[in-house]
Amino acid sequence: MLLLLPLLFKVLLCHGASKVAPQVLGPRHSAAEEPLSFHVLQISSFANRSWTHTQGSGWLGELQTHGWDSVLGTIRFLKPWSQGNFSKEELKNIQAFLRLYIHSFPREVQAFANQFQFQYPFELQVSFGCLIHPGKASESFLNGAYQGSDFLSFQENSWKPSPGAGSRAQNVCKVLNHYKFIKEIIQSLLSDTCPRFLAGLLEAGKSELQRQVKPEAWVSKGPSPGPGRLLLMCHVSGFHPKPVWVMWMRGEQKQPGTQQGDVLPNADGTWYLQVTLDVAAGEAAGLSCRVKHSSLGGQDLIIHWDPIFPHSSNQNLFSAHVSHPAFPQESIPKTPGVQDISSAWHRSGGPKTDS
Ligand SMILES: *[C@@H]1O[C@H](CO)[C@@H](O)[C@H](O)[C@H]1NC(C)=O
Ligand SMILES: *[C@@H]1O[C@H](CO)[C@@H](O)[C@H](O)[C@H]1NC(C)=O
């Protein structure tokens, strides 16, 4: 196996230890805050002895920044800043490396499928990348999965079977650990190339990554949870960055039954969140949905539930109504569509859901 290694090594070392970019990696950290990780993700499917397909992509936190064109064998730069601060030449070397890797990897795996007891059809995933902790050293990872389960990882310069992955993973790691070249290449990609690339990417993409976009919010009635009950839904959409706090309230009282969905991506890179509350129909009046977000400059968005016209939003009044923090809360008309005020927006460390 690994005839290709010396080749890879050559590609990398010829250009003074280079860079890597795209291909495989995946941090398991959900980047709830601004993305400080880059990973390449490789997904290889093996249908039978003769059919395989490999996809590659590059991710800055949860944002896809790179793709792999498997027809042309080229990196697709999905953002104007996806090249970070790497030179054209460096990127060309990385691309050549990836092309060789993506071509060779499936062949090597096919050749070893028997010995490794991989059973068709099977899928291998590799996630490879690094994280930057502000003010601290960077950290890197390489994890591999077989049939969707953790299989092995690369740690302290050697391949380690994942707990529970059994003798098959032990066997694979034993074989891989003989290839010193590969380990050196990986080590260099992980500890040098990746953090350098990530730092350059964060800098190049700064204006997009750090942009502040205000949410729109509206409320609606969901499917009835049962006789005499209402499902109040609060939709918050179009905000950036991702951290947000949304709660159903009665005045200043958080409603503990508030259920929060996942924060989902919109196609334009902003986020969407839906938050619901199951209440007795008679108790809906006087409830409101409150949104705190960094783009709101400390002024919470408050959408009041209107039992008569339960489809309120801040959309119309959003920019027209500029609240003043000194404006007494009581005098704000409790009508749909009001952006309310609150100076209570204190971020003591990220978004909170409730407590
Ligand atoms: C291998 O799998 C591919 C994709 O599923 C299929 O089209 C092809 O016929 C299979 N070939 C063999 C020899 O089984
Ligand atoms: C890119 O930026 C990073 C961080 O600022 C730096 O370490 C690196 O040397 C720069 N250039 C290249 C080609 O990596």
Side-chain angles (χ1 to χ4, degrees), residues 218-226 228-235 248 272 274-282 284-285 289 303-313:
W218 65 98
V219 296
S220 69
K221 196 158 48 174
S224 172
R229 301 202 65 85
L230 283 178
L231 186 66
L232 312 189
M233 307 180 73
C234 180
H235 312 259
W248 278 99
Y272 171 85
Q274 189 172 294
V275 165
T276 59
L277 183 65
D278 175 350
V279 286
C289 173
I303 312 295
H304 296 278
W305 179 259
D306 182 331
I308 319 233
F309 302 104
H311 291 271
S312 331
S313 83

Side-chain angles (χ1 to χ4, degrees), residues 84-87 90 193 195-201 203:
N85 65 350
F86 277 19
S87 67
E90 272 183 309
T193 313
R196 244 176 353 104
F197 186 68
L198 171 55
L201 207 54
E203 183 61 32

Side-chain angles (χ1 to χ4, degrees), residues 32-33 242-245 260 292 345 347-354:
E33 296 289 339
K242 191 178 183 184
V244 68
W245 182 97
Q260 179 162 334
K292 296 173 189 286
W345 177 211
R347 288 193 61 190
S348 50
K352 306 193 270 209
T353 33
D354 189 12

Side-chain angles (χ1 to χ4, degrees), residues 258-280:
T258 298
Q259 300 276 334
Q260 179 162 334
D262 292 329
V263 180
L264 305 172
N266 283 322
D268 64 359
T270 63
W271 299 94
Y272 171 85
L273 173 64
Q274 189 172 294
V275 165
T276 59
L277 183 65
D278 175 350
V279 286

